[in-house]
Amino acid sequence: MFSLAVLVSGSGSNLQSIIDAIASGYLNAKISIVIADRECYALERAEKSGINTLLLKRSIYKDELSSAILEAVGNVDLIVLCGYLSILQGNIIKKYNHKIINIHPALLPNFGGKGMYGIKVHEAVLAAGEKISGPTVHYVDEKTDHGPIIKQKSVPVLPGDTPKVLQERVLTCEHEILVEVIKELSEKAKDTFDKEN
Ligand code: GRF
């Protein structure tokens, strides 16, 4: 079965959308492990669903964090970053080339990069007077919010939107697009496997 490692730092609503999509049968996949870089509600969500969890604190692992994650994930089919706030580097990027995806709450390449996370993204979108925003799912490379884009969806920016209101609207869309991409990637991997065997 298509196996996932999910990396989290926050509330874990995207993680929950994956858990729910598996439970409903929409996704034919298994979450092998959820890894957090800090104490967060996402870990509780995983534990409640009986998923194996691991806390690898950035504050303790520092430069060794990526190697510790690489060791902990073992061999999975896909690593999914859902609101994960540490930067992956080194061997994990090489071994999992095109097998690590991230969800970002704006239409990359705009409103991404270092320091562009959480509510700051939506503040920047509103400050720029954008009429459209929306989530991006992309492959992860060594640079922040930089790898090839897999899928984006548009969400309107409405008159009177506050950053919080816009964040909620985009987040709802994130939950849809993330499981769609994981489904597409798992089906592609199955096709490749079937052709080769
Ligand atoms: C999401 O907006 C995601 O795009 C960003 O961080 C937020 C995480 O939300 N990278 P959650 O922890 O999945 O609720």
Side-chain angles (χ1 to χ4, degrees), residues 13-40:
S13 67
N14 279 294
L15 165 67
Q16 191 67 52
S17 72
I18 302 172
I19 294 172
D20 295 346
I22 292 173
S24 75
Y26 175 79
L27 263 185
N28 187 15
K30 175 187 181 335
I31 303 178
S32 301
I33 191 164
V34 169
I35 302 175
D37 65 351
R38 66 200 69 197
E39 297 284 357
C40 58

Side-chain angles (χ1 to χ4, degrees), residues 10-14 83 103-105 171 174:
S11 126
S13 67
N14 279 294
I103 182 138
H104 183 78
L171 193 57
E174 287 182 41

